[in-house]
Amino acid sequence: MAEHESLEYGKADFVLLDNVSMEEFMTNLKLRFEKGRIYTYIGEVVVSVNPYRAMNIYGRDIVEQYKGRELYERPPHLFAIADAAYKAMKRRNKDTCIVISGESGAGKTEASKYIMQYIAAITNPNQRAEVERVKNMLLKSNCVLEAFGNAKTNRNDNSSRFGKYMDINFDFKGDPIGGHISNYLLEKSRVIFQQEGERSFHSYYQLLRGAPDSLLRSLHIKKDPTAYNYIKVGGQIKSSINDGADFKAVADAMKVIGFTGDEIQTVYKILATILHLGNLTFGVDGDVTLIENTKLVSVIRELLSTKEENVEKALLYRTVATGRDVIEKQHTAQEASYGRDALAKAMYERLFCWIVGRINDIIEVKNYDARVHGKNTVIGVLDIYGFEIFQNNSFEQFCINYCNEKLQQLFIQLVLKQEQEEYQREGIPWKHIDYFNNQIIVDLVEQQHKGIFSVLDEACMNVGKVTDEVFLQGLNGKLAKHAHYTSRKLSPTDKSLEFDRDFRIRHYAGDVVYSVVGFIDKNKDTLFQDFKRLLYNSSNPVLKAMWPEGKLSITEVTKRPLTAATLFKNSMILLVENLACKEPYYVRCIKPNDVKSPLLFEQERCRHQVEYLGLLENVRVRRAGFAYRQTYPRFLQRYKMISEFTWPNHDLPSDKDAVKRLMQGCGFDHDVAYGKTKVFIRTPRTLFSLEEQRVEMVQRIVLFLQKVWRGTIARMRYRRMRAALVILRAYRRYKVKSYIREVNRRFKNVRSMKDYGKHVKWPTPPKVLRKFEEALRSIYNRWWAWTLIKGLSPEEALQVRAKVASLEALKGQRADLGLQRAWEGNYLVSMWDGSVGAYWLCVSQINRFHKAEDRAVLITDRHLYKMDPLKQYKPMKSIPLYNVTGVSVSPGKDQLVVFHTKDSRDLVVCLQGMVPANESRIGELVGTLLSHFKSEKRKLQVNVVSPIQCSMSGRKCTVIVEPKINQSQPDFTKSRSGYILAVPGN
């Protein structure tokens, strides 16, 4: 059974319908179409409904889903049938064929292309160049054949107007190595006439709308299709077909296949010749028939590479041989027009057959020896016209419907044969199935001496004037008592038939009325020998090779050529014999509506197609015995979870016994038969019941598996996390130990080093030890400092502390702190009294009259004294140090110092008298004060700013430092906001 689709999409296989009736069949078909499921099975037959829209179900990902899978393992699809045919060919070494049928517009051509694409996609896994070349040519041949054999009709924009059967040859490895194409009954009447709203073959419009101007000029044609009588009906139609792009694609495809440049040019010349022939008109001058537009004759002569007089003569005269005498009989205007049209149709048909033959020459298997290369197997793909019932049915429809009768007969026979053979293989009793045997209709058409084809050929062989009415009289005489034939003469009261024109055949698909008008002419398919000689005598070797019969002399006696009906009958008999020796697979195509809508499903339209395709009969044949059958291993694989005896694995002697136990346990033993290798289930209800139980059990199994799997995943994750933690801890310990060992190695001899290890580079610590490293560095730095300091005298230690304090306060803010020299503290040697902690400086100070005066400053451990150097350094002012709140200095090289006091009587001084002159003592002053304040556990605020804010006798003022070029000594001057200290600028 197919991968279970939800019942909202209907039944995936018509065999599984609850009741086999037309109503149930149509309801299921419509539901699946509306839900976007265009494929449905009837056993191993695919029913395809044209969606009339692009569907994303043919990509590489979909190909992979069906590759190598059994037919019922995936939802219904063309790919499933293609894969089944390929597997049967490859595994069982059996020739297979895929028969695609349906009416025009049902999607046969697209189906055949998708099948070809699938086979190309799954073959040649080793990418052998020769196999790729063959695959490419097989695919490209479709493009070329569509251009010359397909046309836009009222039913279909890309309707195949010929039947096609392609054999694809495979080597023993299953890779394509060549192929062969057979074509049947090209609708050549379309060359000269199309119904309203239809076009001629695509090739004409592609040439006119896609060829470069230079090519059109060389062919003497123009881009407008309405300028040519044969195709002007189609030239007026607006279509979505891109003829320009298609022209390039076809030209490229022909080159890929292997057509030479001369051959492609000849193809274009023949198309152009046919267009010009359609514009030829004939007139009469007395008893003489004339060509009215003689310029076209010279154009045709040029394109056909022959003589102008020969062209004109062939168009206007017919050469008749009576014994040894040769007579030239002039045509009437009507006969000349008939001959012209016959020539156009024959040239196009011969061109098409030549193209098919040329493709076959290139793609056929060459130099293949089965003894060396292994057996050569074949997959055949038949894309052929479906049953046709038109308003006016003529000879073409008669042949097409005869073809469908033959194929339907083969279809029923092969399906019944397959069923019967399978039942016999499995040892299941076979019940005879009644079905409509359309052999009686096939005999009605093809039987010797009595069949319609025989009557038609007999009429064509009669001497004298033979008319279509004479043919109809012959049919009435020989078939008067046949149950499936009637005419107005035989049924005088049947007014749907015209006297002397119509006859009706009761086909398997329904009654069809045929008009005999044109049967005789179309069957004779007369083309005067003069035209054959004209084309054979062309100097174009490609064109000449198309008409080998033209080499016969005028007086040479030949056999009567076979009629069109006999040729078609023989080709159909050969086709059916070819298909009968292969294992067949079927694609039945259905057209949902006539307006190409992706939404509309016309019930009656589809019902008619279902009837004439015999789909319901096909379901009944499959359902006559058992609706479903499957091999024991595959059946168990799908349903073993239903029974405790088969889940998860059985211990019974065989799979057959396991299936029996399973079915007995479910209570379905009465509805089942057991074959040698397969189980047969009679009714679909049993199968659906099994599916329902399976779905229920699968949900429970899935939950159980999810539980087990989630537990497994959790345990695996825990073990991974635990292992990671153990590894992480071990790694951390390793890194910590490595770091400590390295620190120990580098610093173990620092005591004996000259700089006590200051030059030693610290190793990079792991992240976890960064704070530890900071603490370790701090310990080392303290040890290093202590080691340096412990050997100093108290005075040296005091000076070091002052320098450290100065460095902490001023580092990065003033350039020269004087750290490199010794700090003497006493810069007035003659006045130094030896008091411990006293500090002397010469300064310039601003007095209360805003004038600069030289003074000396003495700092002791308790006071700051301002002294007058002119009066024996007599103290002028005393400031207790506890009254000093801070010190401000500028960031420059000047020696400006402001002592801030609590009573807002700040002392502004500039240090001077340094030796050498450029020596800075700001660092020493600040360091000494800070060291003293720190020893007394008091805080001193140090500011490095410019300008400096201060208070002079309670008045706020600003001290600014200004460098001046001509200034020799620092000097204070009054300013609006306070004071300016002018210092030397250099």
Side-chain angles (χ1 to χ4, degrees):
M1 187 175 181
E3 183 181 89
H4 202 60
E5 290 183 315
S6 169
L7 285 178
E8 69 171 300
Y9 301 116
K11 304 282 184 6
D13 193 329
F14 286 113
V15 173
L16 302 178
L17 291 173
D18 293 329
N19 298 306
V20 182
S21 65
M22 181 59 76
E23 288 67 30
E24 287 255 351
F25 190 100
M26 294 304 298
T27 300
N28 192 59
L29 187 68
K30 182 180 180 183
L31 175 62
R32 289 184 65 77
F33 173 76
E34 290 172 346
K35 294 289 187 180
R37 298 301 192 270
I38 62 171
Y39 298 119
T40 313
Y41 289 134
I42 302 177
E44 295 181 349
V45 175
V46 169
V47 179
S48 168
V49 183
N50 193 337
Y52 285 119
R53 59 190 170 95
M55 300 193 73
N56 187 27
I57 56 172
Y58 305 104
R60 184 73 209 187
D61 55 330
I62 305 296
V63 169
E64 291 300 323
Q65 290 177 25
Y66 285 87
K67 183 178 178 181
R69 304 289 288 272
E70 293 300 323
L71 194 66
Y72 292 104
E73 289 186 27
R74 301 292 302 161
H77 201 291
L78 276 178
F79 291 170
I81 283 289
D83 197 77
Y86 180 73
K87 283 204 300 286
M89 179 274 300
K90 190 174 180 182
R91 290 177 182 173
R92 302 200 295 273
N93 231 10
K94 219 171 176 187
D95 289 347
T96 60
C97 65
I98 301 172
V99 180
I100 307 169
S101 58
E103 69 173 61
S104 178
K108 300 187 298 298
T109 301
E110 288 302 306
S112 68
K113 285 196 286 189
Y114 285 129
I115 287 170
M116 293 278 290
Q117 287 173 15
Y118 179 82
I119 292 172
I122 64 171
T123 54
N124 195 28
N126 298 324
Q127 295 294 306
R128 288 189 294 157
E130 176 59 20
V131 175
E132 283 299 305
R133 185 187 71 83
V134 171
K135 279 166 49 174
N136 199 23
M137 286 196 296
L138 289 170
L139 293 174
K140 293 292 185 184
S141 67
N142 267 333
C143 174
V144 176
L145 294 178
E146 280 186 22
F148 291 91
N150 290 24
K152 173 180 166 46
T153 67
N154 288 321
R155 296 185 172 191
N156 184 2
D157 283 352
N158 189 32
S159 175
S160 296
R161 308 317 301 159
F162 71 105
K164 180 181 74 173
Y165 175 74
M166 175 183 279
D167 267 335
I168 307 170
N169 297 82
F170 296 84
D171 63 13
F172 72 98
K173 295 191 296 297
D175 290 333
I177 54 174
H180 185 273
I181 298 168
S182 301
N183 62 295
Y184 305 96
L185 196 65
L186 178 73
E187 188 192 20
K188 60 183 180 181
S189 60
R190 185 170 291 272
V191 174
I192 63 169
F193 172 77
Q194 306 93 44
Q195 294 184 28
E196 196 66 34
E198 296 192 350
R199 302 201 321 178
S200 187
F201 295 100
H202 294 322
S203 53
Y204 292 113
Y205 307 95
Q206 290 173 4
L207 176 63
L208 296 182
R209 289 172 175 158
D213 292 339
S214 58
L215 176 59
L216 294 179
R217 282 195 299 273
S218 69
L219 301 174
H220 304 283
I221 55 178
K222 50 189 177 182
K223 288 184 178 292
D224 183 12
T226 59
Y228 303 97
N229 293 331
Y230 281 161
I231 64 169
K232 66 182 179 182
V233 172
Q236 297 165 356
I237 299 169
K238 289 189 176 180
S239 169
S240 60
I241 301 170
N242 189 341
D243 293 306
D246 290 344
F247 174 83
K248 187 175 186 311
V250 171
D252 292 342
M254 292 178 80
K255 289 173 185 173
V256 169
I257 291 170
F259 285 82
T260 65
D262 289 342
E263 289 173 337
I264 295 172
Q265 282 299 314
T266 300
V267 170
Y268 296 150
K269 286 179 180 179
I270 292 173
L271 293 177
T273 299
I274 294 170
L275 292 178
H276 291 308
L277 279 173
N279 286 358
L280 274 179
T281 55
F282 300 95
V284 179
D285 184 5
D287 293 335
V288 180
T289 304
L290 301 171
I291 297 173
E292 293 181 338
N293 38 1
T294 54
K295 286 184 179 179
L296 286 179
V297 177
S298 63
V299 172
I300 293 169
R301 189 274 313 161
E302 179 188 332
L303 294 173
L304 295 180
S305 302
T306 186
K307 296 178 181 178
E308 189 170 333
E309 58 270 23
N310 291 351
V311 175
E312 190 169 345
K313 186 177 177 182
L315 288 167
L316 296 176
Y317 295 88
R318 179 185 176 190
T319 305
V320 181
T322 56
R324 292 184 178 180
D325 298 327
V326 177
I327 301 170
E328 288 186 351
K329 181 178 178 292
Q330 187 174 21
H331 291 314
T332 63
Q334 184 179 358
E335 289 172 339
S337 296
Y338 174 84
R340 174 203 62 198
D341 292 345
L343 175 61
K345 291 188 290 183
M347 286 183 71
Y348 195 85
E349 182 187 38
R350 195 64 64 95
L351 170 65
F352 185 75
C353 291
W354 175 83
I355 288 172
V356 173
R358 188 75 183 86
I359 292 172
N360 284 336
D361 290 341
I362 295 166
I363 66 174
E364 70 179 359
V365 180
K366 301 176 181 70
N367 304 321
Y368 194 94
D369 187 346
R371 291 171 300 178
V372 177
H373 302 105
K375 187 176 184 296
N376 174 352
T377 45
V378 167
I379 293 180
V381 180
L382 177 65
D383 170 11
I384 203 157
Y385 14 65
F387 200 86
E388 290 188 351
I389 304 177
F390 295 147
Q391 198 71 28
N392 179 36
N393 300 293
S394 187
F395 179 75
E396 290 87 0
Q397 282 68 49
F398 181 75
C399 290
I400 287 170
N401 292 343
Y402 157 68
C403 165
N404 277 270
E405 289 284 0
K406 292 282 288 182
L407 292 175
Q408 178 67 11
Q409 176 71 5
L410 177 70
F411 172 64
I412 294 295
Q413 283 179 349
L414 289 177
V415 168
L416 283 172
K417 183 181 175 186
Q418 284 177 332
E419 287 284 296
Q420 189 171 1
E421 285 178 351
E422 183 169 29
Y423 279 49
Q424 288 172 350
R425 273 198 314 270
E426 295 294 327
I428 304 293
W430 170 253
K431 185 178 85 174
H432 177 71
I433 299 169
D434 290 324
Y435 65 95
F436 175 70
N437 189 339
N438 58 345
Q439 185 63 45
I440 188 171
I441 300 171
V442 173
D443 291 341
L444 170 65
V445 176
E446 70 178 23
Q447 192 174 15
Q448 290 288 338
H449 308 301
K450 293 182 181 179
I452 294 173
F453 279 158
S454 293
V455 176
L456 180 59
D457 285 351
E458 190 178 315
C460 290
M461 285 189 287
N462 286 341
V463 179
K465 184 72 173 174
V466 181
T467 63
D468 296 317
E469 291 77 12
V470 171
F471 161 58
L472 184 57
Q473 288 169 12
L475 290 178
N476 291 335
K478 290 197 175 183
L479 303 173
K481 295 181 181 179
H482 201 288
H484 292 269
Y485 172 87
T486 189
S487 68
R488 185 65 183 270
K489 184 178 180 180
L490 301 176
S491 303
T493 58
D494 190 345
K495 295 185 179 179
S496 63
L497 301 171
E498 287 285 334
F499 277 111
D500 297 331
R501 192 192 76 181
D502 296 342
F503 67 91
R504 180 190 296 122
I505 292 181
R506 185 177 299 163
H507 288 283
Y508 78 94
D511 294 353
V512 183
V513 176
Y514 298 98
S515 168
V516 296
V517 176
F519 262 62
I520 295 292
D521 283 342
K522 290 174 181 177
N523 189 45
K524 283 182 175 179
D525 197 20
T526 305
L527 180 68
F528 301 137
Q529 189 69 23
D530 303 73
F531 289 128
K532 297 176 183 178
R533 282 193 292 272
L534 171 72
L535 296 168
Y536 176 76
N537 291 319
S538 168
S539 60
N540 183 333
V542 179
L543 183 60
K544 181 173 183 170
M546 292 184 193
W547 297 90
E549 64 270 45
K551 69 180 177 181
L552 298 175
S553 66
I554 297 171
T555 57
E556 191 171 340
V557 178
T558 59
K559 285 184 178 180
R560 182 189 295 271
L562 295 176
T563 61
T566 300
L567 288 170
F568 186 69
K569 179 185 74 173
N570 293 343
S571 68
M572 284 298 104
I573 291 170
L574 285 173
L575 173 64
V576 168
E577 287 176 355
N578 188 7
L579 295 177
C581 67
K582 293 178 170 64
E583 184 172 323
Y585 294 84
Y586 293 92
V587 179
R588 303 302 222 184
C589 299
I590 291 177
K591 182 178 183 179
N593 58 74
D594 285 323
V595 293
K596 303 169 188 172
S597 166
L599 304 174
L600 183 61
F601 185 91
E602 293 179 357
Q603 193 84 7
E604 285 305 311
R605 186 85 178 75
C606 296
R607 184 189 185 104
H608 175 67
Q609 294 172 76
V610 169
E611 286 175 349
Y612 78 62
L613 287 170
L615 299 184
L616 202 61
E617 198 161 32
N618 187 197
V619 176
R620 288 196 179 106
V621 168
R622 286 288 292 190
R623 282 282 295 272
F626 296 89
Y628 176 77
R629 71 287 313 264
Q630 188 57 272
T631 59
Y632 293 120
R634 286 196 170 276
F635 187 86
L636 273 178
Q637 184 182 351
R638 186 165 185 85
Y639 299 111
K640 63 182 180 178
M641 68 287 298
I642 293 173
S643 171
E644 61 182 330
F645 298 106
T646 55
W647 178 261
N649 293 300
H650 68 83
D651 56 0
L652 296 166
S654 67
D655 287 345
K656 182 176 180 179
D657 294 326
V659 171
K660 281 184 179 179
R661 180 65 66 88
L662 188 153
M663 298 305 283
Q664 288 167 359
C666 294
F668 297 139
D669 206 35
H670 65 284
D671 202 36
V672 177
Y674 302 100
K676 295 175 183 176
T677 63
K678 291 182 179 180
V679 58
F680 289 74
I681 298 176
R682 192 178 306 277
T683 60
R685 181 50 48 202
T686 298
L687 190 64
F688 287 133
S689 179
L690 287 171
E691 280 292 329
E692 288 168 2
Q693 292 180 53
R694 177 183 180 275
V695 168
E696 183 182 345
M697 287 304 299
V698 164
Q699 289 177 350
R700 292 167 63 180
I701 292 168
V702 167
L703 286 173
F704 175 74
L705 291 175
Q706 285 178 341
K707 179 184 76 172
V708 173
W709 180 243
R710 283 172 180 162
T712 303
I713 291 290
R715 284 187 290 273
M716 287 169 61
R717 188 180 296 122
Y718 166 74
R719 284 194 290 270
R720 282 198 301 268
M721 289 173 65
R722 185 176 177 185
L725 189 60
V726 169
I727 293 169
L728 187 62
R729 284 174 176 168
Y731 181 71
R732 280 182 175 174
R733 284 196 297 272
Y734 162 75
K735 292 293 284 184
V736 167
K737 288 178 179 177
S738 298
Y739 175 75
I740 292 173
R741 287 195 197 100
E742 184 62 19
V743 170
N744 182 54
R745 184 185 70 78
R746 294 188 185 188
F747 286 89
K748 65 180 179 181
N749 296 319
V750 291
R751 286 188 177 87
S752 60
M753 294 179 186
K754 192 174 182 179
D755 61 352
Y756 300 107
K758 198 66 176 174
H759 71 284
V760 176
K761 187 177 179 182
W762 285 79
T764 304
K767 283 186 179 180
V768 72
L769 292 181
R770 283 180 183 171
K771 288 188 176 179
F772 173 75
E773 188 223 19
E774 290 174 6
L776 203 59
R777 280 180 182 254
S778 176
I779 292 169
Y780 167 76
N781 289 334
R782 291 171 67 83
W783 172 82
W784 179 81
W786 176 79
T787 304
L788 290 178
I789 291 171
K790 70 178 181 178
L792 299 177
S793 63
E795 292 79 10
E796 289 174 332
L798 192 64
Q799 192 174 129
V800 168
R801 287 193 184 92
K803 287 184 177 182
V804 169
S806 175
L807 186 65
E808 289 175 349
L810 302 178
K811 185 178 180 182
Q813 299 184 76
R814 282 188 66 96
D816 182 15
L817 301 182
L819 299 176
Q820 307 301 321
R821 61 180 177 81
W823 286 0
E824 297 179 9
N826 175 18
Y827 296 96
L828 296 173
V829 179
S830 59
M831 295 303 298
W832 178 243
D833 62 0
S835 301
V836 176
Y839 188 83
W840 287 87
L841 285 170
C842 291
V843 299
S844 174
Q845 181 229 339
I846 302 171
N847 62 18
R848 65 179 183 274
F849 303 108
H850 311 296
K851 299 292 183 180
E853 294 178 333
D854 292 335
R855 292 287 185 264
V857 172
L858 172 64
I859 303 172
T860 67
D861 58 349
R862 290 284 179 268
H863 291 82
L864 185 152
Y865 296 98
K866 182 176 70 172
M867 301 178 175
D868 188 354
L870 298 177
K871 297 182 179 179
Q872 300 293 317
Y873 292 97
K874 177 181 178 182
M876 298 177 65
K877 185 177 181 182
S878 166
I879 302 172
L881 285 185
Y882 61 79
N883 203 29
V884 176
T885 60
V887 176
S888 292
V889 298
S890 75
K893 294 182 179 181
D894 57 88
Q895 302 296 301
L896 176 65
V897 182
V898 177
F899 296 93
H900 301 285
T901 61
K902 291 179 182 178
D903 57 3
S904 299
R905 294 176 179 273
D906 296 348
L907 178 63
V908 180
V909 300
C910 178
L911 306 185
Q912 61 183 20
M914 281 74 75
V915 180
N918 60 351
E919 187 176 82
S920 174
R921 293 183 185 156
I922 294 293
E924 184 177 353
L925 173 62
V926 171
T928 302
L929 285 172
L930 281 172
S931 178
H932 174 71
F933 272 67
K934 193 173 182 180
S935 66
E936 293 193 348
K937 298 181 181 179
R938 288 164 52 200
K939 188 176 180 181
L940 179 70
Q941 181 69 34
V942 177
N943 302 312
V944 183
V945 293
S946 180
I948 298 174
Q949 304 294 329
C950 61
S951 297
M952 300 287 286
S953 301
R955 183 173 62 88
K956 297 287 185 184
C957 61
T958 303
V959 182
I960 300 171
V961 178
E962 284 187 1
K964 291 187 179 180
I965 295 174
N966 297 323
Q967 188 76 24
S968 59
Q969 293 292 330
D971 190 19
F972 286 103
T973 57
K974 184 74 174 71
S975 70
R976 274 187 167 184
S977 59
Y979 302 99
I980 296 173
L981 176 62
V983 298
N986 50 357

